[in-house]
Amino acid sequence: LLPNSLDGWWNYKMYLPPLSPANQFKSSWDYRSNLLKERIGQIDADVVCLQEVSPKSFEDDFSFMEELGYDGVEMFKKGRFRPATFWKTNKLQLAAPPVHKDRTLLTAFSLKDQESKEKKDGDSSISDDERHWFCLNCHLQAGKEGGRRVRQINEGVRAAMTLSRKLKEKEPEENIRLIVCGDFNGGPECGAVRYLEDGAVDPEFLEDGDRVTSKKKTLPLATTLIDVPKTVDRYGSEPPATLIVPELISTMVKEGTIDTPELSQIMVESLTRIYNRFATHESENGKEMCLGDVEKWLIATNGQVGRGSEFRTAAREMGWTEPPEPEQSAENSESAENRAKQPQKAETFEEKKARIFLPPDGILTLEGLCRVYADELRQGKFWGIAYDLAVLGEPLPDVGMFTARYDRMYCSTSVLPTAVLDTICTDPCPNEVEASDHLPVAATFVAKADT
């Protein structure tokens, strides 16, 4: 869950039921980072893989990691939500520059106490003692993107194989010491998981009703990877869920429209009551929401006017449009032509958002308010919708929890898991003891050659 020191203002909406005013501090980064610091310090792993760090505040957000001994770090190069890998340099050293692929971050390590041995007879391969450990930190694409998730994991594993050959590993298809971990944004039914556990995904494989590949994608190892949490005998029980949140989709989405979500009858009725409470502007159509009413609604849900996709969609519903390009006069046409030949800096998303405003004379109709939340629904912001309804006096009925094991850890057969740490929680996450909606997965490994 994105650190909310500078970015991620909406994180408080992830806490369901909503935090009381006296407990709002529990969603702050100060509070959450202390929970993370305590948990990471207790586990005391040599390598820590995080997902959803913010490039805006990364160094300050995770300064506590150096206090815990993690003075090695690599953050993914692109995106607002990035993976980052930390390691203890008194235990490990990078064997090669990290490799950045599509939402995967690959690091190769050698143990600090390994000493290079003199090569004999011109043998350029490395000895068993000098072999490396490869860690693939993943944050695969969310949503109905099964094909991209398969491409991402395939590309990441193949990058590990390529790097292992560059480092002159012996028969990496058989012997690579590889750990793959992170947020897969999917359970055992998804193509990315099947790729690792079955060794291949072919064009006949469907996820969410769609093909995930046009050509067969095969794992470039001699054997499939090991699902690490399943190596522990839990007396017939499955590994615990790592995503524990309220079940919302069944109450928000109209039955039969999951692929192109539409608001359920419960949602429409709740939004109608909310609209009637906010609407004060008298018109021939009855009472409607004017500028002041819309601002009160946005302050109640988002804390202020001007932020959030609800604000931007509402502005468009009220009549805001992109301003036209300014016309060029004849005397400026030549300079404009010269400017056009120069490389133009693309406008950022933040700059585009800053132009949007609520039209002073605009009206947000009931249908417009419903379209605002239908748009939120299509973006998968179920938690945000649930929060808004709750603070506006229309909490959704409690129909239980959605649980899934989206956060996964795999290893190659050259690696032996010797301990697995489960994290158990029965309450919706995040909460006062869990800093994220995802629970951590931890394990201890040794190389099989060392056993």
Side-chain angles (χ1 to χ4, degrees):
L1 182 60
L2 192 71
N4 51 330
S5 56
L6 293 180
D7 202 353
W9 65 266
W10 63 85
N11 277 2
Y12 65 85
K13 292 190 174 190
M14 301 287 289
Y15 290 74
L16 297 172
L19 295 168
S20 68
N23 286 318
Q24 281 288 338
F25 72 94
K26 293 180 180 178
S27 67
S28 70
W29 181 244
D30 283 344
Y31 185 89
R32 294 174 56 215
S33 62
N34 281 326
L35 292 179
L36 288 174
K37 180 179 179 179
E38 181 181 9
R39 178 71 55 79
I40 293 170
Q42 287 174 340
I43 296 174
D44 195 31
D46 295 328
V47 178
V48 176
C49 295
L50 301 178
Q51 295 81 44
E52 285 199 21
V53 306
S54 171
K56 290 184 177 181
S57 52
F58 178 69
E59 292 184 2
D60 289 338
D61 289 342
F62 294 97
S63 59
F64 67 83
M65 291 296 284
E66 192 163 0
E67 297 174 32
L68 296 175
Y70 297 95
D71 46 359
V73 61
E74 180 75 9
M75 179 176 61
F76 195 69
K77 292 179 179 178
K78 296 180 179 179
R80 185 180 187 183
F81 304 81
R82 304 186 186 186
T85 301
F86 293 84
W87 63 92
K88 294 185 175 181
T89 59
N90 66 335
K91 299 282 191 71
L92 305 164
Q93 61 187 11
L94 282 178
V99 178
H100 299 245
K101 293 295 184 180
D102 183 12
R103 298 176 72 96
T104 64
L105 175 59
L106 175 67
T107 44
F109 298 106
S110 57
L111 301 181
K112 206 62 177 285
D113 58 1
Q114 284 181 183
E115 294 184 2
S116 297
K117 296 184 178 181
E118 184 179 355
K119 300 294 185 290
K120 297 180 180 180
D121 302 323
D123 182 11
S124 61
S125 63
I126 61 175
S127 71
D128 191 66
D129 289 337
E130 296 173 296
R131 288 171 58 197
H132 305 98
W133 291 75
F134 298 83
C135 180
L136 187 64
N137 182 357
C138 309
H139 186 193
L140 305 187
Q141 184 65 43
K144 196 176 178 181
E145 296 282 355
R148 186 174 174 189
R149 285 191 287 273
V150 169
R151 291 193 299 273
Q152 288 168 337
I153 197 67
N154 177 58
E155 182 183 55
V157 173
R158 289 186 177 277
M161 296 301 296
T162 298
L163 185 56
S164 68
R165 294 187 183 97
K166 288 182 179 178
L167 293 173
K168 303 188 184 304
E169 292 281 329
K170 294 179 179 177
E171 299 177 342
E173 295 82 0
E174 298 276 354
N175 299 315
I176 189 171
R177 295 172 180 170
L178 174 64
I179 297 168
V180 179
C181 61
D183 181 0
F184 277 60
N185 270 307
E189 75 290 343
C190 79
V193 170
R194 300 272 47 90
Y195 171 83
L196 296 181
E197 295 188 7
D198 299 339
V201 175
D202 59 35
E204 283 67 48
F205 182 89
L206 301 180
E207 182 177 338
D208 295 326
D210 297 329
R211 290 186 178 185
V212 298
T213 181
S214 58
K215 296 181 180 179
K216 185 174 183 179
K217 287 185 170 60
T218 304
L219 189 71
L221 278 74
T223 57
T224 57
L225 296 189
I226 298 167
D227 185 356
V228 173
K230 282 195 171 184
T231 61
V232 175
D233 184 3
R234 294 181 178 80
Y235 306 101
S237 298
E238 288 293 308
T242 64
L243 179 65
I244 301 173
V245 294
E247 166 53 43
L248 300 173
I249 295 177
S250 60
T251 56
M252 288 184 182
V253 179
K254 182 178 179 180
E255 187 175 356
T257 68
I258 190 64
D259 289 338
T260 54
E262 297 177 19
L263 296 176
S264 66
Q265 187 61 31
I266 290 175
M267 284 289 300
V268 173
E269 292 172 357
S270 295
L271 289 172
T272 300
R273 289 190 290 269
I274 289 169
Y275 187 88
N276 290 336
R277 287 199 288 270
F278 277 93
T280 64
H281 177 72
E282 296 284 356
S283 75
E284 60 182 18
N285 298 317
K287 288 187 177 181
E288 296 180 315
M289 286 179 68
C290 62
L291 174 63
D293 302 330
V294 173
E295 289 177 337
K296 289 178 182 178
W297 158 63
L298 290 170
I299 291 170
T301 55
N302 291 354
Q304 66 184 55
V305 176
R307 66 183 184 186
S309 49
E310 303 100 323
F311 163 76
R312 296 189 292 276
T313 308
R316 292 183 174 91
E317 288 290 336
M318 295 171 70
W320 180 87
T321 58
E322 287 279 355
E325 291 289 333
E327 293 185 8
Q328 297 291 334
S329 63
E331 59 198 40
N332 291 332
S333 60
E334 185 176 343
S335 59
E337 183 179 348
N338 291 335
R339 286 196 303 272
K341 293 178 181 178
Q342 300 299 318
Q344 298 296 308
K345 183 180 178 182
E347 188 177 33
T348 67
F349 182 53
E350 294 298 323
E351 290 169 336
K352 290 179 181 178
K353 288 194 298 184
R355 296 202 314 266
I356 301 174
F357 62 91
L358 300 176
D361 298 326
I363 293 293
L364 181 63
T365 64
L366 171 59
E367 293 76 14
L369 182 67
C370 288
R371 283 192 289 269
V372 168
Y373 282 103
D375 191 57
E376 296 293 294
L377 200 66
R378 286 188 288 272
Q379 294 180 57
K381 296 181 180 179
F382 309 110
W383 44 270
I385 298 171
Y387 174 89
D388 288 4
L389 293 181
V391 298
L392 296 174
E394 296 287 339
L396 291 168
D398 183 356
V399 294
M401 307 267 276
F402 174 81
T403 62
R405 189 160 66 98
Y406 281 7
D407 305 271
R408 310 179 77 88
M409 183 178 289
Y410 293 90
C411 67
S412 60
T413 54
S414 293
V415 173
L416 178 67
T418 59
V420 176
L421 178 65
D422 290 343
T423 303
I424 308 294
C425 189
T426 57
D427 296 323
C429 297
N431 53 50
E432 64 180 7
V433 295
E434 297 296 343
S436 172
D437 52 336
H438 292 253
L439 299 176
V441 180
T444 302
F445 301 92
V446 295
K448 280 195 174 177
D450 299 336
T451 59

